[in-house]
């Protein structure tokens, strides 16, 4: 699976949009971009995924560049409960192997 | 149950002892995964079960680590002759439909003293 690169940490004011970047310049055509987050002392939680098109769900939006070499996860109105480590993962859904490569992720801190 | 359950939530053991960590996946999920997370790191893959069989055990660090899933539901991760370096949070996840369907448990924090 392609390696992803994320900033170590970011912060955001409560109520503002949090934009978390991810670089995946070696991503292959079969690999989706997945985002998970991990709140302290909990297991990772699925947020969203996409292949080419931008995606939106009740939690977040995912913007993928046209060349697919980078993406941005957007939390439109960050709350204190969004403080967590966010992981960007490239994953081939067609693979018979189920593993996800998490990396170190981005620690997002939302402050009041 | 509603989620993935892992027991115990915390385990302290002495160096050289044997430990078992249990994972109860979401009912009906055929895929089950074990990950290990050290402080400040992301989760690292250990083993993946599809049904009762280990489809990929290439993440197990050495032969002291073993995992089973005899009836295709509950899984047990077994660690022999524990070492201080085994101290970590051990996470279990189950899935029905690929990576977007991964549901993780809260993990077992293993401390080897």
């Amino acid at each position: 699976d392609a390696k992803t690169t994320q900033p170590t940490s970011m912060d955001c004011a409560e109520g503002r949009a949090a934009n978390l970047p991810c670089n995946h310049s070696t991503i292959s055509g079969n690999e989706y971009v997945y985002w998970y987050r991990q709140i302290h002392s909990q297991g990772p939680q699925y947020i969203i995924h996409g292949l080419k098109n931008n995606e939106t769900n009740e939690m977040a939006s995912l913007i993928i560049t046209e060349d697919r070499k980078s993406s941005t996860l957007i939390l439109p109105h960050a709350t204190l409960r969004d403080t967590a480590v966010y992981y960007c993962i490239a994953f081939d859904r067609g693979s018979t192997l189920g593993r996800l490569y998490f990396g170190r992720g981005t620690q997002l801190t939302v402050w009041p | 149950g509603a989620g993935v359950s892992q027991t115990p939530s915390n385990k302290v053991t002495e160096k050289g002892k044997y430990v078992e960590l249990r994972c109860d996946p979401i009912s009906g999920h055929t895929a089950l995964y074990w990950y290990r997370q050290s402080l400040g790191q992301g989760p690292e893959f250990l083993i993946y079960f599809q049904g009762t069989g280990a489809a990929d055990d290439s993440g197990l660090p050495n032969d002291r680590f073993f995992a089973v899933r005899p009836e295709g539901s509950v899984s047990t991760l077994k660690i022999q002759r524990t070492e201080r370096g085994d101290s970590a949070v051990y996470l279990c996840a189950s899935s029905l439909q690929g990576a977007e369907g991964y549901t993780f448990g809260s993990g077992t924090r293993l401390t080897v003293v």
Side-chain angles (χ1 to χ4, degrees):
Chain A
D1 294 332
K3 178 176 166 52
T4 62
T5 305
Q6 300 176 252
T8 302
S9 64
M10 296 182 65
D11 60 16
C12 174
E14 189 176 23
R16 305 299 293 269
N19 299 295
L20 292 92
C22 179
N23 288 321
H24 31 79
S25 59
T26 62
I27 197 168
S28 71
N30 296 328
E31 289 178 313
Y32 285 67
V33 179
Y34 279 77
W35 285 83
Y36 277 74
R37 74 179 183 183
Q38 187 172 24
I39 295 169
H40 184 61
S41 297
Q42 296 183 21
Q45 174 194 24
Y46 166 78
I47 301 173
I48 198 168
H49 74 281
L51 182 63
K52 297 179 183 177
N53 300 321
N54 299 336
E55 303 288 343
T56 295
N57 63 21
E58 65 279 5
M59 291 184 69
S61 294
L62 174 60
I63 308 298
I64 303 174
T65 58
E66 191 169 345
D67 63 8
R68 302 210 325 122
K69 292 185 176 181
S70 65
S71 60
T72 302
L73 179 75
I74 301 172
L75 308 178
H77 305 286
T79 71
L80 299 179
R81 288 174 293 180
D82 292 322
T83 292
V85 178
Y86 287 77
Y87 297 99
C88 170
I89 300 165
F91 178 69
D92 182 353
R93 295 176 68 184
S95 172
T96 56
L97 302 177
R99 66 169 67 188
L100 298 178
Y101 291 95
F102 280 85
R104 293 195 177 190
T106 296
Q107 170 67 58
L108 174 70
T109 302
V110 181
W111 44 276
Chain B
V4 176
S5 175
Q6 292 189 246
T7 54
S9 56
N10 281 284
K11 175 72 175 178
V12 180
T13 191
E14 293 181 347
K15 179 176 178 296
K17 298 289 189 182
Y18 167 83
V19 297
E20 290 189 351
L21 312 179
R22 176 187 169 104
C23 172
D24 276 278
I26 291 174
S27 178
H29 279 192
T30 57
L32 184 145
Y33 313 84
W34 284 98
Y35 284 77
R36 177 169 72 171
Q37 186 170 25
S38 301
L39 193 63
Q41 307 290 323
E44 294 179 320
F45 171 81
L46 294 176
I47 187 169
Y48 157 49
F49 286 92
Q50 184 60 249
T52 60
D56 181 5
D57 64 358
S58 61
L60 296 177
N62 52 60
D63 61 6
R64 295 187 297 105
F65 289 74
F66 189 70
V68 296
R69 195 185 184 200
E71 298 179 355
S73 178
V74 170
S75 176
T76 304
L77 178 66
K78 308 180 180 193
I79 310 174
Q80 298 177 322
R81 304 183 305 279
T82 52
E83 300 176 356
R84 293 196 178 88
D86 299 335
S87 296
V89 175
Y90 289 81
L91 293 162
C92 176
S94 68
S95 172
L96 185 61
Q97 57 190 39
E100 69 268 30
Y102 259 58
T103 301
F104 280 85
S106 293
T108 294
R109 180 175 298 280
L110 175 67
T111 303
V112 182
V113 297

